[in-house]
Amino acid sequence: MSTARQGPLLLGVRHHGPGSARAVRSALDAARPAAVLIEGPPEGDALLELAADPDMRPPVALLAHAADDPGRAAFWPLADFSPEWVAIRWAQQAGVPVRFMDLPAAHSLAAAVEPEADSAEPDAVRLDPLAVLAETAGYDDPERWWEDVVEHRGTGGAGEEALGAFEALGEAMAALRETYGDGGHRRDLVREAYMRQRMRAARREFGDGYAVVCGAWHVPALRAKTTVAADKALLTGLAKVKVETTWVPWTHRRLARAGGYGAGITSPGWYAHLFSAPDRPVERWLTKVAGLLREEDRQVSSAHVIEAVRLAQTLAAMRGRPLPGLTETLEAVRAVMCDGSDVPLALVEDRLVVGDVLGEVPDAAPVVPLQRDLTRQQRSLRLKAEAQERELELDLRKDTDAAKSLLLHRLRLLGIGWGTPTASRGSTGTFRETWRLRWEPELSVRVAEAGIWGTTVLAAATAKAEADAAGAGELGEVTALAERCLLAGLSEALPAVLRALADRAALDTDVARLAKALPALARSLRYGDVRGTDATALGAVAAGLAERICVALPPACAAGLDADAAAELRGHVDGVHTAVGLLADTDDGLRERWSAVLRTLAARDTVPGVIRGRAARLLLDDGRLEAEETARLMGLALSPAAQPADAAGWIEGFAGGSSGGGTLLVHDERLLGLIDSWLTGVPERAFTDVLPLLRRTFGAYEPGVKRTLGELVRRGPAAAAGAARATGPAPEGFAPDLDPERADAVTELVRMLLASPDGVAAA
């Protein structure tokens, strides 16, 4: 330690600043302190020795969470270029003690308010020290100012030069604290009081021969002359909880300010490069950019790199900057390597400026048993946790892929969203799955939270499923849970889930909820076949649910539904129809009973048109409705007596684009003729009302189908309605021919309507 210096060595840094990190290393080399104190929770002291483990690869974070509530957690991230990490590693290599000195996590996690949420005034604005200094220096961008005064002013230099830089930065912060006080950071006063206590303890042990590495904002407060009593007063009465700590992997993306990290930076990938580049950082950076663009099949040569370097240097010289910064290099990349396009530039910003580097922690780091089991399975199945999103294709006929699927589904049930199922770009068979994987640091907290359910992934998922079944409020929640249990292979949880399912199904009288629940049960039965899981116990529940739907659906569809409710029920009819197809193998009579329900819906004129049309189409597709009967139902639905909106709804239900209706109309010109005749006869006012519905129906057709239909209609009625004309003229009433039996049924009613009050016919 320099004898000319009075008091401990205070090194005020910018968190995750490579220039600060280099300067810290130079200052420590010059001062050779007897101990180092680092801004961070003291509960992490026992874990500091793991920083020297060869398997510890930053970025990593110190995680502290409440022992009885793992969801209440906080992170202290560190990267290779973080000054605190450099100080920790320097102390370990120098063989001197290193300790954390910030307010314990036991207090910060117990605080009733969020960190820094208790400023003196409700509307107080928290000061950004770098922004104020940058503005004072004439800069409109704090990042650019920091690059010019720190990152681009040498690589740390000699020890005395580094110490001088820290003195200057400390003086600047002292001026800010004198002007702005706490700057709206009231909780910092409590933190700084605790830091001063730790410094007093270090002075008793090491004298003044120790160093402190902390945020530059705190340096003036740590130099201030305060009494022990005053600091104790600030710390008296703080709430406290029991905490557990460990190291967890972190990512460059989560170091970024855009990721929600309060002390984050805008360009962690760029800063990591500046810290690691031994010389010529701009040239090396632009070479990296060229390599990335070549991987994306862009033509980038060495000449492009040379020209980009020249342009970046020219821009820096014109702007009076000591070296090209990120702004100049990106402008050069856009102009020279990206042909002025922002699309490839966005890729560079995402992959290199921010980046997806994921750190690693050694096996010796303490973890909950659930995390240990998860790590074991990840290694066994070769499912590496990665920060960059990637797709995983699984073939469930293979044992390893099936095991991966079970693990990912179990984690999802536990709320650990490492993988998200997505639509497969290849086969649509039930034996294939596609997952989108990305490991986020916060998932470590989710694993700790899920540890209350069990010590292994299987045991925890089983216990969580049973608890969810007991607490489910609606039938749909339980059916979805049953589906997830089968996907996750949780056979031991199924009895509890099935009991809850049977109980809620028996009590639920809402046909919409019943219809919504049935498809999930049917899929679950199919999953049992595909994965070899015994799902037969679901059959009885599904069959009972289907019977109740068959009974309750027709009355529900005739209860004066509005357009939105009718559209919702139409969707349920589709879902039940698909489910019946899956359940038919276990109940031979179910398909017949469901077909009878569809016939009732198709023929009942009190049922909304969109449902009647859909029922007719489903019967036609199943071969249970003849072409003649189909034409008759369409003629009834599109007769002049029908309301235009209801008729348009019938067309939507019958010929909606997603159901292949366009192809049907191309090959059945009689149906096309009926629709064409109705459409040309819709009154002008009504046509305006039904146009959005018709556009939605026909707009979903494939371009080729629309082109063919347009050609048929363009050729005129003879082509479009030729088949219809073969059986008579286009319908003007309820059917092409008079139905005497139906006509006689209303004779008495017509006579009563036309009769006068005294019984004498008005005519």
Side-chain angles (χ1 to χ4, degrees):
M1 192 78 175
S2 173
T3 56
R5 189 178 306 278
Q6 298 298 318
L9 175 63
L10 300 184
L11 304 179
V13 302
R14 183 191 186 185
H15 302 301
H16 319 305
S20 288
R22 287 191 297 267
V24 162
R25 187 162 52 198
S26 296
L28 293 175
D29 283 339
R32 309 300 299 180
V36 179
L37 303 184
I38 309 290
E39 183 179 331
E43 292 93 341
D45 284 352
L47 301 175
L48 279 171
E49 63 181 16
L50 289 174
D53 193 300
D55 292 330
M56 179 75 88
R57 298 184 180 90
V60 294
L62 188 67
L63 164 63
H65 64 82
D68 59 349
D69 182 10
R72 191 191 304 176
F75 297 97
W76 285 264
L78 297 168
D80 276 321
F81 52 86
S82 299
E84 298 88 346
W85 181 261
V86 169
I88 291 170
R89 295 294 295 122
W90 182 92
Q92 291 173 332
Q93 291 165 0
V96 302
V98 55
R99 298 165 187 169
F100 286 120
M101 63 176 296
D102 204 347
L103 186 71
H107 296 309
S108 58
L109 292 178
V113 295
E114 295 182 359
E116 300 187 352
D118 52 349
S119 51
E121 301 176 11
D123 298 325
V125 178
R126 295 183 181 85
L127 182 73
D128 180 352
L130 292 187
V132 175
L133 293 176
E135 184 179 0
T136 303
Y139 284 75
D140 57 2
D141 182 358
E143 294 291 330
R144 191 159 60 89
W145 172 79
W146 181 259
E147 283 187 349
D148 284 356
V149 300
V150 177
E151 307 303 340
H152 296 164
R153 296 291 182 182
T155 58
E160 290 303 322
E161 180 183 347
L163 292 171
F166 282 118
E167 287 293 332
L169 188 58
E171 291 175 4
M173 291 299 170
L176 290 178
R177 294 296 291 258
E178 184 177 348
T179 303
Y180 297 100
D182 59 37
H185 302 265
R186 285 297 303 276
R187 191 160 183 80
D188 282 351
L189 300 180
V190 178
R191 295 173 58 201
E192 290 160 354
Y194 189 86
M195 291 183 193
R196 287 191 291 267
Q197 283 197 341
R198 296 283 284 187
M199 290 173 65
R200 292 185 185 105
R203 183 177 294 111
R204 289 192 295 270
E205 186 174 357
F206 306 108
D208 284 337
Y210 67 93
V212 172
V213 178
C214 63
W217 174 253
H218 302 299
V219 168
L222 301 186
R223 281 180 176 161
K225 302 297 183 181
T226 60
T227 65
V228 174
D231 287 342
K232 282 185 177 180
L234 286 172
L235 298 170
T236 299
L238 292 181
K240 189 176 183 179
V241 296
K242 183 180 179 181
V243 301
E244 296 176 354
T245 57
T246 186
W247 290 107
V248 296
W250 204 252
T251 68
H252 276 178
R253 192 170 299 278
R254 294 298 295 158
L255 278 173
R257 186 177 299 140
Y261 173 39
I265 52 181
T266 60
S267 50
W270 166 251
Y271 273 11
H273 170 78
L274 289 180
F275 184 71
S276 62
D279 57 7
R280 307 182 72 177
V282 176
E283 290 85 344
R284 294 178 185 275
W285 172 259
L286 291 173
T287 302
K288 279 186 182 180
V289 172
L292 172 63
L293 295 176
R294 286 173 189 146
E295 290 175 2
E296 299 297 322
D297 295 327
R298 292 191 65 87
Q299 300 298 320
V300 179
S301 66
S302 300
H304 285 89
V305 176
I306 294 170
E307 287 303 317
V309 170
R310 289 175 177 170
L311 179 56
Q313 291 173 340
T314 301
L315 290 172
M318 292 174 60
R319 295 167 181 172
R321 307 193 68 181
L323 281 175
L326 183 59
T327 302
E328 287 73 29
T329 56
L330 288 182
E331 288 179 6
V333 168
R334 185 179 186 275
V336 178
M337 298 183 184
C338 300
D339 299 323
S341 173
D342 288 329
V343 175
L345 184 65
L347 178 69
V348 173
E349 292 175 331
D350 182 70
R351 298 277 186 86
L352 295 181
V353 176
V354 177
D356 284 305
V357 176
L358 176 66
E360 297 181 18
V361 299
D363 292 339
V367 294
V368 296
L370 180 63
Q371 176 66 69
R372 203 169 298 284
D373 180 64
L374 173 58
T375 302
R376 179 188 61 79
Q377 293 194 52
Q378 287 173 325
R379 291 175 178 171
S380 173
L381 298 173
R382 296 182 180 178
L383 269 178
K384 185 178 180 181
E386 296 176 329
Q388 188 169 352
E389 186 175 274
R390 68 183 180 96
E391 280 196 355
L392 176 67
E393 293 279 351
L394 299 179
D395 184 340
L396 301 180
R397 297 169 297 185
K398 299 177 180 178
D399 292 343
T400 301
D401 282 7
K404 291 177 180 178
S405 172
L406 291 176
L407 175 62
L408 293 172
H409 279 295
R410 289 168 183 172
L411 291 176
R412 276 176 56 80
L413 197 147
L414 288 168
I416 304 169
W418 179 21
T420 303
T422 185
S424 176
R425 292 176 296 181
S427 171
T428 57
T430 55
F431 60 86
R432 288 196 178 275
E433 280 185 350
T434 302
W435 291 82
R436 186 171 290 116
L437 302 182
R438 169 178 275 179
W439 186 267
E440 298 283 0
E442 290 84 352
L443 295 179
S444 299
V445 177
R446 304 284 84 80
V447 174
E449 286 181 306
I452 64 173
W453 298 107
T455 58
T456 67
V457 175
L458 174 59
T462 299
K464 179 71 160 52
E466 292 173 345
D468 287 349
E474 294 185 359
L475 177 62
E477 295 178 30
V478 190
T479 54
L481 181 60
E483 183 177 9
R484 297 175 71 183
C485 284
L486 286 168
L487 286 167
L490 303 179
S491 56
E492 293 186 6
L494 273 179
V497 175
L498 288 177
R499 284 195 299 271
L501 179 59
D503 292 344
R504 283 160 181 78
L507 297 175
D508 205 322
T509 58
D510 189 325
V511 69
R513 285 201 293 265
L514 295 176
K516 185 178 180 180
L518 184 61
L521 287 180
R523 288 194 303 269
S524 298
L525 289 168
R526 173 61 60 88
Y527 293 146
D529 293 337
V530 174
R531 290 170 170 76
T533 307
D534 183 11
T536 54
L538 287 174
V541 178
L545 206 60
E547 288 291 344
R548 295 182 61 193
I549 292 170
C550 288
V551 172
L553 187 59
C557 291
L561 301 175
D562 60 22
D564 292 338
E568 181 183 357
L569 266 181
R570 174 257 174 106
H572 290 322
V573 169
D574 278 341
V576 172
H577 185 74
T578 302
V580 167
L582 296 175
L583 296 172
D585 294 339
T586 61
D587 188 342
D588 295 336
L590 180 58
R591 194 185 296 273
E592 295 298 329
R593 293 191 293 276
W594 175 244
S595 295
V597 172
L598 291 178
R599 284 186 175 278
T600 300
L601 295 177
R604 187 173 291 176
D605 55 9
T606 56
V607 173
V610 67
I611 298 177
R612 282 186 286 126
R614 192 65 189 144
R617 178 57 190 278
L618 294 175
L619 289 168
L620 179 65
D621 288 346
D622 281 354
R624 296 176 180 270
L625 195 65
E626 299 294 334
E628 293 293 334
E629 180 66 8
T630 302
R632 189 185 75 83
L633 291 174
M634 181 177 284
L636 290 170
L638 303 184
S639 69
Q643 292 293 326
D646 193 62
W650 196 97
I651 294 174
E652 181 189 20
F654 183 85
S658 62
S659 61
T663 304
L664 176 66
L665 296 180
V666 167
H667 293 288
D668 194 330
E669 293 186 348
R670 174 169 45 182
L671 298 182
L672 177 60
L674 290 170
I675 293 177
D676 185 53
S677 298
W678 170 80
L679 187 59
T680 56
V682 175
E684 182 177 353
R685 289 183 180 178
F687 183 80
T688 303
D689 295 333
V690 302
L691 182 59
L693 192 60
L694 295 173
R695 179 177 295 166
R696 185 172 64 204
T697 301
F698 298 115
Y701 290 168
E702 294 290 335
V705 171
K706 288 192 283 189
R707 195 161 44 245
T708 302
L709 289 176
E711 180 62 24
L712 289 173
V713 174
R714 187 185 65 80
R715 281 153 47 189
R725 217 179 244 118
T727 60
E732 296 183 358
F734 289 96
D737 299 313
L738 179 65
D739 186 336
E741 184 178 351
R742 296 187 69 186
D744 289 343
V746 300
T747 301
E748 185 62 28
L749 178 60
V750 172
R751 183 179 292 112
M752 293 174 62
L753 292 173
L754 295 178
S756 63
D758 59 358
V760 179

